[in-house]
């Protein structure tokens, strides 16, 4: 059994990107520049955005953090988006979600220029992904594809079961695994809350991607011997024996599932660290004008 170490892999990729940024700087070319917009003071969002900005600085990118208070109107936020769309120094930007309830997230996402949409959330990027055209891939599926590629996991002709159908993880993951490509060519089944016989279907999988948001949902009896298990879940559960009174677990019951696997991602230290790396890769692609020319 091989543990896919997302923390280590994300550090390796960051070192590779940092090297590339050094070369860009040595040539006197423009340094990649990511902007992040944070509206309000949701504590989790603050941590995520801080991590993204810090990672940009670690690899030598320029970064800009735009903070707006929770009372910001949708019109004011749309003005910020327009300003970022038109700022030629900024290669890509993200608007951290969730937004305060009075702001329509869909209208804001649609206002982002797809060329600068390094989250890959705009329908143009999602559509291009589904058609197999070059696009910015959403962070979590991109991170998972990178892990499978770098660990040399064979995917062609395998049965993949994706658990969960969210717009940002399950649905794009199912599309990417079914596409032709170095990582891909799987026979994909997407299961969700209304699926019948879920344990039987998951048991048939060579590759399982668990993204359902339920702590330790995938148990050993649902996993075939030798399966590849990718755990996207981050759930905090009570644990009186833990110094903090709680601990993080994934969507997979790691202890009992790991011995049956050929590859497995841990939580924490698996998929999570790869998502920030995806944003960095997308920003690098934006600055190289790799997707849209
Ligand atoms: N909120 C949770 N995940 C994400 C993400 O990947 N991008 C943005 N913009 N907001 C998020």
């Amino acid at each position: 059994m091989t543990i896919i170490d997302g923390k280590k892999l994300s550090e390796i990729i960051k070192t590779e990107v940092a090297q590339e940024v050094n070369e860009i700087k040595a040539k006197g070319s423009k340094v990649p520049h990511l902007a992040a917009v944070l509206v309000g003071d949701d504590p989790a969002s603050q941590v995520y955005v801080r991590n993204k900005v810090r990672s940009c600085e670690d690899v030598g990118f320029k970064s800009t953090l735009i903070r707006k208070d929770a009372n910001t109107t949708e019109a004011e936020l749309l003005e910020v988006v327009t300003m970022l769309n038109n700022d030629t120094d900024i290669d890509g930007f993200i608007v951290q979600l969730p937004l305060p309830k009075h702001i329509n997230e869909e209208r804001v996402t649609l206002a982002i220029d797809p060329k600068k949409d390094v989250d890959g959330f705009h329908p143009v990027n999602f559509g291009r992904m589904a058609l197999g055209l070059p696009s910015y891939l959403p962070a979590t599926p991109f991170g998972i594809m990178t892990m499978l590629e770098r660990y040399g996991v064979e995917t062609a002709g395998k049965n993949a079961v994706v658990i969960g159908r969210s717009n940002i993880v399950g649905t794009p993951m199912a599309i990417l695994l079914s596409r032709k490509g170095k990582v891909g060519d799987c026979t994909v089944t997407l299961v969700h809350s209304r699926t019948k016989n879920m344990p039987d279907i998951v048991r048939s999988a060579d590759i399982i991607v668990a993204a359902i948001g339920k702590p330790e949902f995938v148990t050993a009896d649902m996993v075939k011997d030798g399966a590849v298990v990718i755990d996207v879940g981050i759930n905090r559960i009570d644990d009186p024996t833990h110094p903090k009174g709680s601990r993080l677990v994934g969507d997979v019951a790691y202890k009992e599932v790991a011995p049956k696997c050929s590859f497995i991602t841990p939580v924490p230290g698996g998929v999570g660290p790869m998502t920030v790396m995806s944003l960095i890769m997308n920003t690098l692609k934006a600055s190289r004008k790799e997707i849209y020319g």
Side-chain angles (χ1 to χ4, degrees):
M1 185 266 292
T2 301
I3 296 173
I4 300 183
D5 188 338
K7 191 163 190 294
K8 194 161 117 197
L9 180 55
S10 70
E11 293 301 328
I12 291 170
I13 295 173
K14 277 200 216 163
T15 308
E16 292 168 5
V17 175
Q19 177 64 32
E20 194 157 338
V21 175
N22 280 339
E23 286 162 20
I24 291 168
K25 286 181 177 166
K27 277 195 285 189
S29 304
K30 186 189 160 308
V31 173
H33 186 176
L34 174 81
V37 184
L38 176 60
V39 185
D41 37 36
D42 176 66
S45 291
Q46 292 189 46
V47 172
Y48 294 145
V49 170
R50 211 179 306 133
N51 277 343
K52 292 174 185 179
V53 169
R54 191 172 345 108
S55 297
C56 280
E57 286 161 4
D58 288 348
V59 296
F61 287 0
K62 248 172 102 173
S63 66
T64 299
L65 173 58
I66 298 174
R67 293 197 66 149
K68 305 293 282 179
D69 65 49
N71 298 323
T72 302
T73 64
E74 187 176 305
E76 284 166 340
L77 180 56
L78 289 171
E79 270 178 38
V80 173
V81 168
T82 302
M83 187 263 293
L84 293 169
N85 282 341
N86 294 330
D87 185 334
T88 52
D89 195 65
I90 288 170
D91 297 294
F93 66 96
I94 63 156
V95 177
Q96 185 66 25
L97 305 178
L99 290 168
K101 292 217 165 22
H102 63 278
I103 299 179
N104 182 313
E105 288 183 354
E106 195 184 339
R107 274 200 290 271
V108 173
T109 303
L110 280 171
I112 297 173
D113 181 345
K115 295 187 183 68
K116 295 195 175 190
D117 168 40
V118 285
D119 260 331
F121 288 174
H122 192 287
V124 165
N125 280 312
F126 196 96
R128 289 176 65 100
M129 173 201 65
L131 292 168
L133 297 170
S135 68
Y136 298 115
L137 301 182
T140 304
F142 186 13
I144 293 170
M145 297 297 276
T146 306
M147 290 198 293
L148 295 172
E149 183 180 349
R150 294 284 189 120
Y151 273 80
V153 175
E154 274 207 31
T155 58
K158 303 286 183 192
N159 291 332
V161 173
V162 177
I163 311 175
R165 56 179 158 184
S166 73
N167 289 343
I168 62 172
V169 185
T171 300
M173 197 66 237
I175 292 169
L176 289 171
L177 286 171
S178 66
R179 274 189 351 188
K180 270 190 206 295
K182 207 171 354 171
V183 177
D185 290 316
C186 291
T187 304
V188 179
T189 308
L190 179 61
V191 299
H192 48 74
S193 53
R194 303 297 297 270
T195 297
K196 295 197 173 85
N197 305 327
M198 189 181 308
D200 286 342
I201 297 170
V202 177
R203 233 185 328 270
S204 73
D206 304 306
I207 300 170
I208 299 168
V209 178
I212 197 171
K214 291 189 179 161
E216 302 184 319
F217 178 82
V218 177
T219 46
D221 59 302
M222 293 165 75
V223 177
K224 178 164 89 175
D225 275 329
V228 176
V229 174
I230 307 293
D231 189 352
V232 180
I234 303 178
N235 311 288
R236 188 163 284 286
I237 59 163
D238 292 337
D239 182 354
T241 68
H242 207 264
K244 278 189 182 161
S246 68
R247 65 189 164 90
L248 287 181
V249 297
D251 290 354
V252 175
Y254 185 88
K255 248 195 202 150
E256 62 179 59
V257 168
K260 300 185 82 174
C261 298
S262 54
F263 293 90
I264 187 166
T265 65
V267 175
V271 174
M274 294 298 291
T275 59
V276 177
M277 183 287 311
S278 300
L279 183 63
I280 298 229
M281 291 303 295
N282 278 344
T283 305
L284 187 62
K285 286 180 187 202
S287 88
R288 288 193 199 130
K289 310 214 179 317
E290 208 174 292
I291 310 284
Y292 288 97

